[in-house]
Amino acid sequence: MTTTDRDVNDIDAMLGASRAALDEVVHAVDQHSEVLFTWDYERSRPALVKLYEKAKTSQWNATTDLPWDTQVDNEKMAAEFGGSNARFAVLQNLDGSPLAKWGQKEWARFAIEQQTWMLSQFLHGEQGALVCTGLITATVPWIDAKYYAATQVVDEARHVEVFARYIEEKMGGAYPINPNLGGLLDNIINDTRWDITYLGMQIMVEGLALAAFGMMHMVTSEPLLKQLLRYVMSDEARHVAFGVLSLREYYAGLSQEEILSRQEFAFEAALALRNRFFAPEVWERSGADPRAVIKFMTGTYNPGQDMFQAMLFSKIVPNCKKLGLLDAGDGWLRQKFTEIAVIQFEDWADTSEEYASLDAVARDRAGA
Ligand SMILES: [Fe+2]
Ligand SMILES: [Fe+2]
């Protein structure tokens, strides 16, 4: 099936049915991209030089800069987070819901599972970022981008470290990677084109992460998680800016046909990222039939779901616009993003303009 005739509400895709559950400890992916040396050491990209300097002064230490001795109340945290999920209201209120029999106890248990699942996917996505950015140091042809990517590798190691520790110490263990997220990471790494690593990771996966971290940071009052997310977001904003600043230059020189294939990749990634939030693993562990639940959620008028999706894409859409991807080729991607109801925040600031204002580490140090 090509991207253009794909059913965006394919339940099998939402369930991740095309991919076996990842229950192995080590997962291998073939990698086909070319490794590039450059003998041109001139610092010719001032925006990347500035970003690199910022990265060097905004490092933090996961071991000493976070209050790890905080006692975490999982039920309270899940209740705060669950309350923001208006997208589940249709399952609670409408006739014919497969969860009509669920009471407060079932929803409270689901909220805890959902929270653990969400942080677990953050963890696995962070490892994806660690691997992809290591790859970029090798495949990108520009010295300024190799320097910057090297700082991002350290950032991502720290992010994997903090989420792994939080889940292990405060939540009692992680969910496996969601098949839609895992499949997307494989596709990003498999691709031969160096810019696709950036587009898939820095623009799509990290753009969505930045918005999702922001939503969780806003609703949680748990002090350790709040500070952890604040510092991770401070780094993520630079990473997304790295993608925008690098690809903007590169995409300005591509043909219409080459741009169309990037638009298609971005849309496939968007579907995988959206689909993962249907979280079939959580429904299953909570004793519900994932297929029936997802079918009901998507087959019913659900403004809560549309708003949730639009918020998740509130960084991705303005950044795609800045890259020229939204409106190239008669607005192909604009139309697709409209179809999946994520176009809403297209005129919000793009991350290459707002990253400096999100630097929480520098702000804390200036106030100290
Ligand atoms: Fe990260
Ligand atoms: Fe990142």
Side-chain angles (χ1 to χ4, degrees):
M1 183 186 278
T2 65
T3 302
T4 34
D5 62 7
R6 156 197 276 300
D7 172 9
V8 298
N9 289 319
D10 176 5
I11 304 280
D12 282 334
M14 290 166 180
L15 288 164
S18 61
R19 194 170 198 267
L22 288 177
D23 53 2
E24 76 259 271
V25 175
V26 172
H27 174 64
V29 188
D30 282 336
Q31 180 243 314
H32 311 280
S33 38
E34 208 174 21
V35 171
L36 299 181
F37 285 89
T38 175
W39 313 124
D40 176 3
Y41 294 102
E42 197 188 329
R43 310 298 301 277
S44 56
R45 293 179 171 79
L48 292 182
V49 172
K50 193 173 153 201
L51 199 63
Y52 178 55
E53 291 301 319
K54 185 105 192 126
K56 286 190 285 183
T57 56
S58 298
Q59 293 295 308
W60 48 284
N61 184 341
T63 309
T64 54
D65 288 334
L66 294 177
W68 287 107
D69 55 0
T70 304
Q71 294 289 323
V72 174
D73 180 342
N74 274 294
E75 274 177 37
K76 182 179 171 220
M77 185 164 70
E80 287 170 347
F81 181 66
S84 72
N85 284 335
R87 65 199 183 112
F88 302 129
V90 294
L91 288 160
Q92 291 160 344
N93 303 332
L94 289 188
D95 288 345
S97 162
L99 303 183
K101 291 205 174 81
W102 272 24
Q104 212 154 23
K105 198 175 106 228
E106 285 80 7
W107 281 108
R109 187 184 154 206
F110 167 77
I112 290 180
E113 292 295 333
Q114 166 83 359
Q115 170 108 352
T116 307
W117 177 88
M118 189 77 96
L119 284 166
S120 304
Q121 303 316 315
F122 289 167
L123 166 66
H124 302 312
E126 292 293 355
Q127 190 187 161
L130 172 64
V131 168
C132 283
T133 312
L135 189 58
I136 287 176
T137 62
T139 59
V140 69
W142 311 325
I143 198 69
D144 289 318
K146 287 183 189 291
Y147 288 169
Y148 182 78
T151 69
Q152 188 180 335
V153 173
V154 182
D155 293 349
E156 302 302 0
R158 183 168 58 238
H159 299 176
V160 177
E161 179 192 351
V162 293
F163 281 113
R165 182 169 173 187
Y166 191 91
I167 292 167
E168 179 61 31
E169 286 184 12
K170 311 296 179 185
M171 306 186 107
Y175 269 80
I177 190 166
N178 168 271
N180 270 294
L181 177 60
L184 174 59
L185 295 179
D186 288 1
N187 289 342
I188 292 170
I189 292 164
N190 259 317
D191 206 286
T192 57
R193 300 163 292 184
W194 66 261
D195 67 288
I196 291 293
T197 322
Y198 269 105
L199 178 60
M201 182 47 67
Q202 268 79 359
I203 303 298
M204 303 302 295
V205 176
E206 298 194 285
L208 184 127
L210 189 55
F213 295 163
M215 285 159 80
M216 194 178 270
H217 174 262
M218 201 166 64
V219 299
T220 191
S221 65
E222 196 288 275
L224 169 58
L225 183 63
K226 210 170 178 74
Q227 181 66 342
L228 182 161
L229 289 169
R230 193 167 158 263
Y231 274 7
V232 171
M233 282 161 64
S234 169
D235 295 340
E236 291 306 340
R238 277 196 310 276
H239 305 166
V240 179
F242 177 46
V244 176
L245 293 168
S246 305
L247 293 186
R248 198 156 185 235
E249 172 183 343
Y250 185 64
Y251 286 177
L254 294 189
S255 69
Q256 280 296 310
E257 198 183 334
E258 288 166 328
I259 288 291
L260 179 64
S261 79
R262 270 71 180 180
Q263 290 177 308
E264 287 177 345
F265 189 93
F267 183 58
E268 284 295 315
L271 281 182
L273 289 171
R274 179 203 64 166
N275 287 348
R276 87 170 158 97
F277 280 90
F278 287 104
E281 309 90 313
V282 182
W283 297 115
E284 192 152 17
R285 198 178 283 186
S286 305
D289 172 5
R291 182 176 291 274
V293 169
I294 296 170
K295 206 168 171 186
F296 191 80
M297 275 184 80
T298 53
T300 308
Y301 172 64
N302 192 345
Q305 176 70 18
D306 287 352
M307 179 48 83
F308 178 75
Q309 280 171 196
M311 284 304 295
L312 283 178
F313 282 76
S314 61
K315 302 289 178 190
I316 288 176
V317 176
N319 288 328
C320 282
K321 191 171 188 174
K322 178 92 171 194
L323 293 178
L325 288 179
L326 209 53
D327 290 306
D330 296 331
W332 185 88
L333 190 58
R334 167 182 297 283
Q335 191 203 323
K336 292 291 172 190
F337 278 175
T338 305
E339 267 173 46
I340 60 168
V342 302
I343 195 76
Q344 207 161 329
F345 301 112
E346 62 164 306
D347 292 321
W348 280 24
D350 76 81
T351 310
S352 71
E353 278 169 14
E354 66 170 5
Y355 77 87
S357 68
L358 293 169
D359 190 345
V361 177
R363 228 175 12 250
D364 284 1
R365 283 191 191 140

